Structures are given as C-alpha cells and as structure tokens.
Amino acid sequence: MEQYELQKLRDLPIEGVAERLGLHVVRHKALCPFHEDHHASLSFSVGRNTCRCFVCGASGGPIDVV
C-alpha cells in the first residue's frame, strides 16, 4: 500500500470510524472493544484524531481501531 493511501486512512475522523464499526460514541467516549467493558472507558481525542482506553491501555488512531 502506498504511503499517501495510508495517510488518507490515518486522516479519517476516528469517531466516525468507531461508529461505522458499531461503537456507540457519546461525548467522545465509548465502550472499549478490546476488553469486556461495562462503563465507557475508551476516550477519543478529536483534535489529535486518536483514542485511548483508560482501563486496558489500548490506544492509537483510526487504523488501530479497525
């Protein structure tokens, strides 16, 4: 895959990617899909286009969420 194609994927809005995958995003938070989560611990940073789970430590950008 070409570098410019990867950059286009990295530039996709992370909350939009999460919602398309079935996560219910409310106030920049969602249930973490990487562990059994009962309270929204996955937090999204729209400005940096990243996410981080404060329970399991998973973090990354739109590609990592997929």
Side-chain angles (χ1 to χ4, degrees):
M1 185 173 274
E2 297 291 328
Q3 187 64 29
Y4 71 92
E5 293 173 318
L6 284 173
Q7 190 58 47
K8 285 176 72 174
L9 293 174
R10 287 185 189 111
D11 291 340
L12 291 172
I14 193 162
E15 286 186 353
V17 171
E19 287 176 340
R20 300 266 319 220
L21 291 171
L23 297 177
H24 183 67
V25 180
V26 177
R27 295 186 188 119
H28 308 295
K29 293 186 178 185
L31 295 177
C32 182
F34 305 114
H35 66 92
E36 190 172 326
D37 200 2
H38 301 287
H39 302 285
S41 61
L42 186 66
S43 179
F44 296 94
S45 172
V46 178
R48 292 185 297 171
N49 205 33
T50 60
C51 67
R52 178 172 182 230
C53 177
F54 289 96
V55 174
C56 71
S59 63
I63 295 173
D64 300 308
V65 171
V66 175

